[in-house]
């Protein structure tokens, strides 16, 4: 009730009870004086206007730019595949390809290494 009493927000009944208690309790009178001092000190502070202007954040994702970059990447890939040198009659050994693209999983560092093709447990 001390804060409500100090700010004038207490009902008449609460105000009467607070004043009766304050008349008998030195500790609460001291607390009321400290709260009043703090409230007055805060109210005496100057109002400071912010010096920084806050602007809305820029959108980082631009759909049109993303589509243009995707198209350019696809065109570069198609051009690279079309113009890439290579032996048209060359065959691909799937066993060698699998061995080259096998993931290494270290179960316990320094103890053992398990090699398995990607996608197989």
């Amino acid at each position: 009730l001390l804060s409500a009493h100090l700010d004038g927000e207490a009902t008449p009944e609460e105000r009467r009870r607070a004043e009766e208690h304050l008349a008998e309790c030195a500790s609460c009178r001291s607390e009321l004086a400290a709260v009043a001092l703090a409230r007055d000190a805060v109210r005496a502070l100057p109002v400071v206007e912010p010096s920084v202007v806050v602007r809305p954040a820029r959108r980082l994702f631009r759909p049109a730019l993303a589509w243009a970059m995707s198209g350019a990447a696809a065109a570069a890939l198609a051009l690279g595949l079309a113009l890439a040198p290579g032996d048209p009659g060359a065959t691909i050994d799937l066993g060698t390809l699998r061995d080259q693209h096998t993931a290494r999983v270290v179960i316990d560092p320094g103890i053992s290494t398990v090699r398995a093709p990607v996608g197989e447990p």
Side-chain angles (χ1 to χ4, degrees), residues 72-100:
L77 178 62
L79 186 63
L81 290 174
L83 300 179
D87 183 10
T91 60
I92 298 174
D93 179 22
L94 294 180
T96 304
L97 185 63
R98 184 192 68 209
D99 289 342
Q100 290 174 347

Side-chain angles (χ1 to χ4, degrees), residues 36-77:
L37 183 64
R39 182 192 68 172
D40 293 342
V42 169
R43 288 182 177 172
L45 291 173
V47 176
V48 178
E49 292 296 324
S51 60
V52 177
V53 176
V54 178
R55 296 182 186 151
R58 287 181 39 196
R59 269 186 22 194
L60 296 179
F61 178 73
R62 292 190 172 94
L65 180 61
W67 281 107
M69 295 299 285
S70 298
L77 178 62

